[in-house]
Amino acid sequence: MQTTARSSASAPSSPLPRSAPPPPHVAFPALRRRDLLLLPAALSLPLAPPAAAPAPAAARGLFRMPPQRLANRYFLVRAGESVYEGQGLLRTNPVAKTSVDSGLSPVGLRQTARAALELQRLGACEDDCWIWPSITQRAYQAAEIIAAANGVNRSRIVPEYSFLDARGLGAFEGKSLDALPEVYASDNISPDMKPPPISDGTPNESVADVFVRVTQLMSILETQYSGETVVIVSPDSDNLSILQAGLIGLDLRRHSSLFFKPGEVRPVDPSSIPEYKQPASTVFKCTNPPSCK
């Protein structure tokens, strides 16, 4: 027993396993996003071929008259006769533009119905269309008649609150329609001549003033739509005759030669739009008024 105990006491103890030393800490340099982007080039790795340059956008730029091209198809419509016009009176004060007497007369209703059928015959709204009337009572009534006759949803009637107001005729307000030739005689002298002013708030607009308005309207339409059909409904002739003169490059003083009768429909013919040039009305000076041929 003692011998066994001694031998076990004198036997060497087995050594304990030692843990491996930790690996040395390797410090990686901080990489920026730019370094990662440049890494393939540094490693001479082949990169994907560059993508083809996109085609330049067909930007329309600032709208000007005559336009270089039109992005949409247009129909110009003068609303039928108003109650005021039926009485032989000129009413252009915008305060009265939503009054009942600015609405369509019985004759004007028939004229507008014929205009709606003419648009139908021309196929203006076969593939749907947008109708842009002045907020003036007769123009908006005409828009509703046009929409109903051509199967256009009323949600596609877009009222215009200022750019299509009837031309303000100043001191001619309340006078007979027979005074219009006097207005147009002044227009023939210069597009900048204004009718005499009046103190009741009726604007006295020159042809140039109206030209600015209808150009702004066309700029909106050409920016907002592309490949659409737009029916423009005006309460008077001057908005439309001045617009058409601008589109075809006609001397603005001669806009009255394009006079629109109540209820008249006129499509804008793209072939009538010339290559852009400065309108003659801005470079020609009348040296012997009123003979300005």
Side-chain angles (χ1 to χ4, degrees):
M1 292 291 295
Q2 293 178 356
T3 304
T4 304
R6 250 194 324 268
S7 62
S8 60
S10 61
S13 60
S14 59
L16 295 173
R18 299 179 60 186
S19 59
H25 177 71
V26 179
F28 290 96
L31 293 178
R32 296 172 300 172
R33 187 180 177 203
R34 178 182 176 85
D35 298 327
L36 293 174
L37 292 174
L38 296 176
L39 186 60
L43 298 177
S44 300
L45 294 178
L47 297 176
R60 299 176 198 171
L62 182 66
F63 185 84
R64 57 189 181 181
M65 296 277 204
Q68 293 180 330
R69 65 183 180 90
L70 289 175
N72 303 292
R73 187 171 64 141
Y74 293 95
F75 291 84
L76 309 181
V77 181
R78 178 179 174 181
E81 174 193 86
S82 70
V83 173
Y84 282 132
E85 290 169 331
Q87 297 169 352
L89 299 176
L90 287 169
R91 284 281 186 248
T92 61
N93 192 324
V95 172
K97 65 184 178 182
T98 57
S99 71
V100 173
D101 288 338
S102 288
L104 294 170
S105 69
V107 172
L109 285 168
R110 292 193 293 272
Q111 292 169 336
T112 302
R114 286 195 291 269
L117 294 176
E118 176 65 8
L119 286 167
Q120 189 180 72
R121 185 189 69 80
L122 294 171
C125 299
E126 280 183 349
D127 299 320
D128 222 342
C129 64
W130 294 95
I131 305 175
W132 275 61
S134 165
I135 197 61
T136 304
Q137 185 82 341
R138 61 186 176 277
Y140 196 84
Q141 288 174 337
E144 291 182 318
I145 293 171
I146 291 168
N150 288 270
V152 178
N153 192 292
R154 290 188 64 187
S155 65
R156 296 179 76 87
I157 299 177
V158 185
E160 217 316 300
Y161 288 85
S162 59
F163 294 149
L164 281 174
D165 282 358
R167 178 186 178 185
L169 295 179
F172 289 95
E173 179 75 0
K175 291 189 175 182
S176 168
L177 290 173
D178 296 334
L180 271 178
E182 187 177 346
V183 176
Y184 294 148
S186 297
D187 293 347
N188 286 334
I189 297 173
S190 169
D192 296 314
M193 286 192 69
K194 296 176 180 283
I198 193 172
S199 60
D200 69 349
T202 303
N204 58 322
E205 294 184 293
S206 67
V207 171
D209 294 332
V210 177
F211 181 69
V212 170
R213 286 202 279 113
V214 295
T215 301
Q216 289 172 324
L217 172 69
M218 289 300 296
S219 180
I220 292 171
L221 295 174
E222 286 290 284
T223 302
Q224 186 164 334
Y225 304 121
S226 181
E228 300 278 0
T229 297
V230 183
V231 179
I232 298 174
V233 186
S234 171
D236 70 344
S237 170
D238 286 4
N239 283 333
L240 302 178
S241 61
I242 293 170
L243 170 58
Q244 188 174 18
L247 289 172
I248 66 176
L250 179 70
D251 187 331
L252 293 178
R253 293 172 302 179
R254 297 176 53 200
H255 78 93
S256 59
S257 66
L258 301 172
F259 184 83
F260 280 70
K261 296 176 292 185
E264 184 173 354
V265 175
R266 205 175 292 173
V268 174
D269 181 8
S271 65
S272 68
I273 299 175
E275 183 179 352
Y276 178 76
K277 61 181 180 179
Q278 191 175 26
S281 57
T282 65
V283 297
F284 181 82
K285 302 299 182 184
C286 181
T287 58
N288 185 32
S291 299
C292 299
K293 295 182 181 180

